[in-house]
Amino acid sequence: MSQHIEKILILDFGSQTTQLIARRIREQKVFSEIHPYTLALDKIKTMRPSGIVLSGGPASVYDTDAPISDPGIFELDIPVLGICYGAQLMMQQLGGRVERAEKREFGKADLTITYTAGLFAGMETAPSHYQVWMSHGDRIEEIAPGFMATASSAHSPYAALRHQDKPFVAVQFHPEVAHTLIGNDILRNFIFGLCGCHPTWTMHSFIESTVTEIKEKVGDGQVICALSGGVDSSVTAALVHKAIGNQLTCIYVNNGLMRSGESESVLRFFREKTDLNVIDRDASKHFLQQLSDIADPEEKRKRIGFGFIKIFEEEAGKIGSVKYLAQGTLYPDVIESVVFRGKAPIKSHHNVGGLPERMQLELIEPLRELFKDEVRELGLELGMPEEAIFRQPFPGPGLGIRIMGEVTEERLDILRRADVIVLEEMKDSGWYRKVWQSFAVLLPIQTVGVMGDVRTYEHVIAIRSVDSRDAMTADWSKLPYDLLGRISSRIINEVRGVNRVVYDISSKPPATIEWE
């Protein structure tokens, strides 16, 4: 949010770990936000950041089409930290030289620190050695005027740099990743030492500032909230309700893509355990009609997104004088829906890239700059019960993106019955709260099997379970074999139409958590 007094601005050059930089800074209770490297200098000035980080990236600074940020940032008298590509860009823009390295550095490397101040304040007396993580094929061959080397590695004589008069620092390695053992110390030295920030960004302060913003924006107007029962929409509703009370009406839409018994349990929870005004709308037939014969995942997401907005606008019309729609958009949703350097987004989230351009309602997205674990912390700070906060994430498009290919009533029924078994077994075994997410996926293929000495040709269910902190990266869960065996046996025995179960062992990246 623009009102944050202290913030670190991150300019993204396409690194897979840019989001980790933001997370590491926020862990120090200082707000940070990511913007494309193309962010205009005038916009940067109006944001008044306490510091700027230039992220890593896959390009080479000497390429003709290399991503280049405005060099005017070095004239703002604001501390700047360049990381990997960002370090090389800083050198090139300020008069240094970068060339392709004879020996590339990828993975763990030994860093020799020769200057124990600035980024390395509090480190052992120089020279000292620490493990860091490198990922580059280029090398700084000549440093820009005014800079001095503060650390080196076997193949990078300028592995870390500082300007002797200005608040500019650079590192060739990645301090944001866990393999860099002094990474958090380096970022703390930048945040608090060079930028002069204070650890004041907490969920308590976030609630205070956000409630004020919502009140000022809404005035005496009416707001509707898209309520799915998931963590994001539930926390959004609680936060907006804290700000404007009965000016908020929550709308639960049954899109026909929910899990077995989901709609009934969600409505029961909110009506019995909260003060929210909730109305429900069964639009399952509308959504299934819109998805008829549609197999493309992007088209599915967009049609589901359009369908939600259509219904919200209809319900707003019944209430009268409603101008705002509150929804639980998170930071990862925004990041993954952004087009970078002309490339397609990772996916269009139904509440970001899936929204129609001409929407009658103005959006209120109070969680738009938060990661999932921050949202859970926020929910607890708001006094919400743990049963609402620690539910596994369930996507807004529902089972529509867990059915590969066309969505039909028959295929939904198969997936629902399989999904019930997955959740029952995960909860009974104590693994439900240990993993980030676990669910079933219906594949668009059939395979040969044998049941009762009879040949079968039936559907395949994939089980997906991942460990993560914020959904930006994830690893497949190492579930016990006996648990996987029980899930497989039950699905094949209890779900008619399925004769094979497989387990997804893909990490994110390169895969995503959801299959579509």
Side-chain angles (χ1 to χ4, degrees):
M1 294 186 174
S2 58
Q3 281 90 338
H4 291 302
I5 297 174
E6 294 180 340
K7 71 173 72 175
I8 302 295
L9 177 64
I10 302 166
L11 297 185
D12 181 23
F13 292 89
S15 170
Q16 290 186 351
T17 59
T18 298
Q19 294 79 21
L20 283 178
I21 303 172
R23 289 200 51 78
R24 297 294 174 262
I25 295 172
R26 292 186 185 196
E27 287 168 1
Q28 304 304 320
K29 294 182 169 52
V30 174
F31 183 71
S32 64
E33 60 185 18
I34 301 169
H35 289 271
Y37 69 92
T38 51
L39 188 66
L41 188 63
D42 287 345
K43 178 65 174 176
I44 294 174
K45 291 178 181 178
T46 61
M47 296 170 74
R48 300 177 63 188
S50 299
I52 297 173
V53 176
L54 309 179
S55 84
S60 295
V61 295
Y62 47 75
D63 289 343
T64 54
D65 61 344
I68 303 294
S69 54
D70 194 318
I73 62 174
F74 298 111
E75 299 174 6
L76 299 178
D77 196 30
I78 294 173
V80 181
L81 166 62
I83 296 176
C84 198
Y85 178 90
Q88 296 168 2
L89 180 63
M90 180 186 292
M91 288 301 100
Q92 177 163 290
Q93 290 186 318
L94 294 177
R97 180 167 53 88
V98 177
E99 294 183 358
R100 186 178 302 278
E102 290 185 9
K103 293 185 178 181
R104 300 179 299 173
E105 283 187 302
F106 291 96
K108 296 177 183 178
D110 181 65
L111 184 76
T112 301
I113 296 175
T114 55
Y115 180 83
T116 53
L119 289 182
F120 302 120
M123 307 287 175
E124 297 176 15
T125 304
S128 53
H129 299 266
Y130 295 93
Q131 176 187 297
V132 297
W133 187 263
M134 295 281 192
S135 181
H136 62 98
D138 296 325
R139 193 169 87 159
I140 298 168
E141 294 292 346
E142 183 179 328
I143 61 176
F147 281 84
M148 61 172 281
T150 55
S152 63
S153 68
H155 303 297
S156 293
Y158 307 119
L161 298 158
R162 65 177 286 270
H163 196 284
Q164 298 178 74
D165 301 314
K166 299 177 181 179
F168 305 149
V169 288
V171 292
Q172 185 60 78
F173 53 90
H174 288 270
E176 70 273 20
V177 303
H179 297 296
T180 296
L181 302 184
I182 54 172
N184 284 335
D185 299 303
I186 289 170
L187 290 175
R188 276 195 294 268
N189 284 333
F190 176 70
I191 297 164
F192 301 120
L194 274 72
C195 300
C197 293
H198 302 84
T200 55
W201 191 71
T202 64
M203 285 304 105
H204 181 75
S205 66
F206 178 85
I207 290 172
E208 289 183 340
S209 62
T210 304
V211 163
T212 300
E213 287 182 25
I214 293 172
K215 285 181 178 179
E216 291 176 352
K217 182 171 186 175
V218 173
D220 59 358
Q222 295 290 314
V223 179
I224 60 172
C225 178
L227 187 64
S228 70
V231 178
D232 310 335
S233 66
S234 300
V235 173
T236 296
L239 185 57
V240 176
H241 185 261
K242 182 177 180 64
I244 60 173
N246 60 13
Q247 293 170 250
L248 171 70
T249 301
C250 296
I251 300 175
Y252 175 81
V253 178
N254 180 357
N255 59 6
L257 306 172
M258 306 302 287
R259 291 175 291 198
S260 180
E262 184 89 359
S263 294
E264 295 81 4
S265 64
V266 166
L267 290 170
R268 184 167 55 251
F269 172 81
F270 283 106
R271 286 171 175 165
E272 294 178 359
K273 297 190 176 183
T274 74
D275 296 327
L276 298 174
N277 176 26
V278 181
I279 62 176
D280 65 286
R281 168 83 177 268
D282 186 348
S284 52
K285 290 183 179 179
H286 169 77
F287 279 90
L288 288 176
Q289 288 172 354
Q290 289 297 307
L291 294 173
S292 178
D293 298 322
I294 302 299
D296 178 72
E298 277 291 288
E299 185 63 22
K300 282 186 192 178
R301 285 179 172 272
K302 289 180 178 178
R303 289 194 176 211
I304 292 169
F306 293 166
F308 274 120
I309 295 302
K310 177 178 181 295
I311 292 165
F312 293 143
E313 290 179 339
E314 289 174 359
E315 293 299 325
K318 297 176 186 178
I319 297 170
S321 68
V322 175
K323 184 179 179 182
Y324 301 100
L325 166 64
Q327 62 177 15
T329 305
L330 301 193
Y331 207 23
D333 300 338
V334 177
I335 294 168
E336 290 188 341
S337 298
V338 168
V339 176
F340 180 81
R341 297 188 73 195
K343 296 179 181 178
I346 296 172
K347 54 189 174 184
S348 294
H349 287 263
H350 76 287
N351 55 348
V352 184
L355 296 178
E357 293 181 4
R358 301 179 68 179
M359 187 175 66
Q360 297 174 19
L361 299 172
E362 187 176 340
L363 289 177
I364 293 177
E365 299 173 308
L367 313 183
R368 189 179 176 88
E369 48 188 37
L370 299 184
F371 291 99
K372 178 77 76 172
D373 56 328
E374 293 173 326
V375 172
R376 289 195 167 112
E377 184 183 346
L378 173 62
L380 294 175
E381 183 75 24
L382 286 166
M384 297 180 66
E386 287 194 3
E387 63 183 289
I389 296 304
F390 290 103
R391 293 184 61 194
Q392 289 185 3
F394 185 66
L399 300 181
I401 58 171
R402 292 180 179 174
I403 292 177
M404 305 296 99
E406 185 182 3
V407 178
T408 65
E409 286 280 14
E410 177 189 3
R411 303 187 82 207
L412 279 166
D413 181 60
I414 291 173
L415 182 56
R416 282 195 182 103
R417 287 184 288 139
D419 197 68
V420 165
I421 293 170
V422 173
L423 294 180
E424 284 180 353
E425 290 296 333
M426 292 295 288
K427 289 177 180 178
D428 289 346
S429 65
W431 275 85
Y432 182 82
R433 286 279 295 271
K434 294 179 182 179
V435 304
W436 176 265
Q437 211 167 345
S438 52
F439 54 90
V441 180
L442 180 60
L443 304 189
I445 58 174
Q446 292 177 278
T447 64
V448 172
V450 178
M451 290 184 176
D453 297 325
V454 177
R455 178 188 185 275
T456 61
Y457 190 60
E458 295 180 330
H459 295 286
V460 179
I461 289 287
I463 306 303
R464 179 72 158 149
S465 180
V466 297
D467 302 325
S468 182
R469 285 190 59 191
D470 51 30
M472 293 308 305
T473 60
D475 194 12
W476 59 279
S477 306
K478 282 44 172 197
L479 298 180
Y481 289 160
D482 59 345
L483 172 57
L484 290 172
R486 286 197 304 274
I487 292 173
S488 175
S489 179
R490 283 194 60 192
I491 290 176
I492 291 172
N493 287 323
E494 299 175 29
V495 182
R496 288 189 178 275
V498 176
N499 68 357
R500 192 179 300 269
V501 174
V502 299
Y503 188 51
D504 182 351
I505 58 171
S506 309
S507 297
K508 175 186 179 179
T512 56
I513 295 177
E514 298 290 344
W515 276 48
E516 288 191 340

